[in-house]
Amino acid sequence: MSFESNTKLDIDGVAEFLNLPPSKVEKLTSKKRILQNWGKYQNLFRFDKKVSKIETGTVLYQNNGYFELIRGFPKIKRAMAVEPAVKSHFKNSGTVSVEEKMNGYNVRVASINGDVTAFTRSGIVCPYTTERAKYLIGQEFFEKHPELVLYGEMVGPDNPYVPKSIYNIESLDFFIFDIRYKNTGEPLPVYERRKLMNDYNLNQVQLFGEYKIEEAPENITRIIKEIGKQEREGVVIKDPQMRINAIKYTSSESNCADLIEGFKFYNDFGRDYFYSRVIREGFQSVEWGESEEEFQERCLQLGRSILEPMSRTMSKVAEGEEVHEDVQIRVKEPETIYEFEKHLKRMGINAIFGTPLQVGDEYLVAIRKLNQSTNDKTKAIWNGSLWKS
């Protein structure tokens, strides 16, 4: 991919392409609502905030008066109580399709000027993810469908953001859950998308089934209980024609796993992150009509998910240790390691990279991510600092 260096945003061209006044585009740029990507991706601009009908994380590609829009993924609202949510939200749809919500990190993959490029949710090009996407997806699909964008989840243990070993994946894999057109963001219907992915032998999230609205809540509850036992995350409930926005629902095991991770680094996560997961547990417990024994078991699991990781963090810091997160990546090209290290620094992530180990024709690299805010806050408290409230 050859991009001009120091490329500036074409204010007038972008305004015409997006049907916005030039003054609006200029204001968005000056207020850093439209940000330029780094290095060789300077022809890519990301929307840091939602603008009109343009989603946060949307990416604009410009090249000599030509423009393309890689739309951000529409925010999926959450069902707190399955039965009323499904019956209300999908009242104009006869059935719903239920697919797995996998636990990884959200990625969009598109062909930009003929090159496969991967974007994180915020619209930043991740060099590691891009290398893996090129390897996992290849060129054939985009040679025939350059107008489409693949939306999916990067899942597996060689994951620098959300490492998970529950899916029996050796390294890192990409599971597609949506396909949309460039510029408009119009989605393909569920079964059209699934057929297309099958035609190209590309991985996609599991389809549990299609259910009539009146039967869906019972089946979704059954599915959630089954996958929860395997510590899998949850489901996404969709109108098969994709005319109605999807909604999501997660397992108790996933909620508690998130709380364990969050409270381990209690000062690095926002309060909304913790609060929403606790509220989910309350609604799920009541809707499922749990027995006293089941309710007490949920209480113990929830309490342990909050207190145990936090206490361990506080003990470690009291003993002079630093809490950290150990992750790893696996790359084809050594240059990707260097590029990813620079990427994390730009993101403000303090990370220590180990020596690459050759595994077959790839390189495995251990990374230690330091969660400085939690370390600093805990040290300060042990040294006598007071909490603000």
Side-chain angles (χ1 to χ4, degrees):
M1 182 184 299
S2 63
F3 282 164
E4 301 171 10
S5 60
N6 300 318
T7 303
K8 291 185 178 180
L9 189 69
D10 178 355
I11 300 290
D12 292 332
V14 169
E16 183 178 355
F17 175 66
L18 297 179
N19 196 25
L20 294 172
S23 59
K24 174 74 169 178
V25 177
E26 195 161 11
K27 185 176 181 180
L28 291 170
T29 305
S30 65
K31 289 194 169 186
K32 300 188 183 300
R33 295 291 181 262
I34 300 178
L35 298 169
Q36 190 171 23
N37 269 286
W38 306 299
K40 62 181 181 179
Y41 298 106
Q42 292 183 53
N43 279 43
L44 296 170
F45 298 82
R46 56 193 171 89
F47 286 75
D48 190 49
K49 300 286 184 183
K50 184 176 180 179
V51 177
S52 186
K53 294 183 179 180
I54 300 173
E55 303 85 359
T56 302
T58 292
V59 177
L60 174 74
Y61 166 62
Q62 75 168 32
N63 188 14
N64 296 322
Y66 174 77
F67 303 95
E68 281 183 343
L69 212 58
I70 313 300
R71 304 296 292 256
F73 192 75
K75 187 172 179 60
I76 300 180
K77 292 186 177 180
R78 183 179 300 279
M80 300 298 269
V82 172
E83 185 168 0
V86 168
K87 290 183 176 179
S88 172
H89 189 74
F90 295 104
K91 61 185 177 183
N92 294 323
S93 177
T95 61
V96 290
S97 298
V98 180
E99 293 185 317
E100 181 165 11
K101 183 182 190 304
M102 300 186 76
N103 202 340
Y105 65 101
N106 193 290
V107 171
R108 284 163 289 160
V109 182
S111 176
I112 306 295
N113 198 28
D115 199 24
V116 175
T117 308
F119 304 93
T120 61
R121 180 179 285 277
S122 61
I124 296 172
V125 179
C126 173
Y128 174 59
T129 310
T130 293
E131 191 206 80
R132 302 314 286 176
K134 289 178 179 179
Y135 169 68
L136 294 168
I137 298 169
Q139 292 283 353
E140 183 185 4
F141 174 78
F142 288 116
E143 285 173 356
K144 296 183 179 178
H145 301 282
E147 76 285 2
L148 296 178
V149 181
L150 303 179
Y151 294 70
E153 204 80 8
M154 283 286 183
V155 175
D158 295 338
N159 186 323
Y161 305 113
V162 188
K164 294 289 178 181
S165 57
I166 58 176
Y167 298 105
N168 296 319
I169 294 168
E170 181 183 354
S171 177
L172 189 73
D173 218 333
F174 186 55
F175 291 85
I176 294 151
F177 56 70
D178 199 4
I179 300 178
R180 293 178 180 250
Y181 286 93
K182 290 179 179 176
N183 300 332
T184 66
E186 180 185 352
L188 268 61
V190 170
Y191 295 101
E192 183 180 337
R193 181 249 300 164
R194 295 193 69 87
K195 181 182 182 305
L196 186 61
M197 293 299 88
N198 285 333
D199 290 344
Y200 286 90
N201 293 316
L202 294 176
N203 286 340
Q204 51 191 321
V205 296
Q206 181 177 347
L207 172 67
F208 292 108
E210 181 177 347
Y211 307 101
K212 294 179 180 179
I213 298 300
E214 58 272 17
E215 300 169 350
E218 180 182 352
N219 283 286
I220 291 166
T221 299
R222 172 183 55 78
I223 292 164
I224 285 291
K225 288 181 177 180
E226 288 174 359
I227 67 175
K229 293 173 185 176
Q230 303 165 48
E231 299 182 0
R232 286 151 66 187
E233 185 171 5
V235 298
V236 180
I237 308 155
K238 301 178 178 180
D239 164 27
Q241 297 303 314
M242 296 294 287
R243 292 168 298 195
I244 303 169
N245 290 336
I247 60 177
K248 58 189 175 184
Y249 188 71
T250 48
S251 69
S252 177
E253 290 81 0
S254 176
N255 295 334
C256 289
D258 286 349
L259 289 171
I260 290 170
E261 185 67 15
F263 276 105
K264 180 180 178 182
F265 308 111
Y266 67 90
N267 213 53
D268 288 86
F269 286 76
R271 292 186 181 185
D272 285 348
Y273 177 90
F274 302 118
Y275 183 70
S276 67
R277 284 161 175 78
V278 173
I279 298 300
R280 292 176 207 169
E281 289 296 291
F283 274 104
Q284 189 174 90
S285 176
V286 174
E287 186 176 19
W288 286 5
E290 293 178 332
S291 67
E292 183 62 26
E293 183 181 352
E294 290 169 330
F295 178 67
Q296 290 300 325
E297 184 178 343
R298 185 185 291 268
C299 289
L300 288 171
Q301 180 174 306
L302 179 59
R304 187 177 292 113
S305 301
I306 293 171
L307 190 58
E308 189 171 78
M310 201 165 32
S311 297
R312 287 181 176 176
T313 287
M314 293 165 181
S315 296
K316 283 184 178 180
V317 175
E319 293 167 4
E321 296 182 46
E322 284 199 326
V323 290
H324 55 265
E325 182 183 8
D326 289 326
V327 297
Q328 64 187 34
I329 61 173
R330 191 183 303 228
V331 302
K332 293 284 186 183
E333 302 295 334
E335 176 69 15
T336 304
I337 302 169
Y338 172 68
E339 290 298 328
F340 186 64
E341 190 171 6
K342 288 197 301 181
H343 171 75
L344 290 184
K345 285 181 180 178
R346 289 191 187 107
M347 298 294 294
I349 297 173
N350 188 6
I352 301 169
F353 280 62
T355 303
L357 300 174
Q358 190 156 3
V359 180
D361 62 347
E362 297 182 311
Y363 297 89
L364 188 67
V365 186
I367 304 171
R368 175 157 290 183
K369 295 163 67 178
L370 302 176
N371 297 73
Q372 210 58 49
S373 178
T374 295
N375 280 303
D376 291 346
K377 184 70 172 179
T378 312
K379 285 178 187 176
I381 291 172
W382 284 130
N383 287 326
S385 289
L386 303 177
W387 200 268
K388 287 183 180 180
S389 59

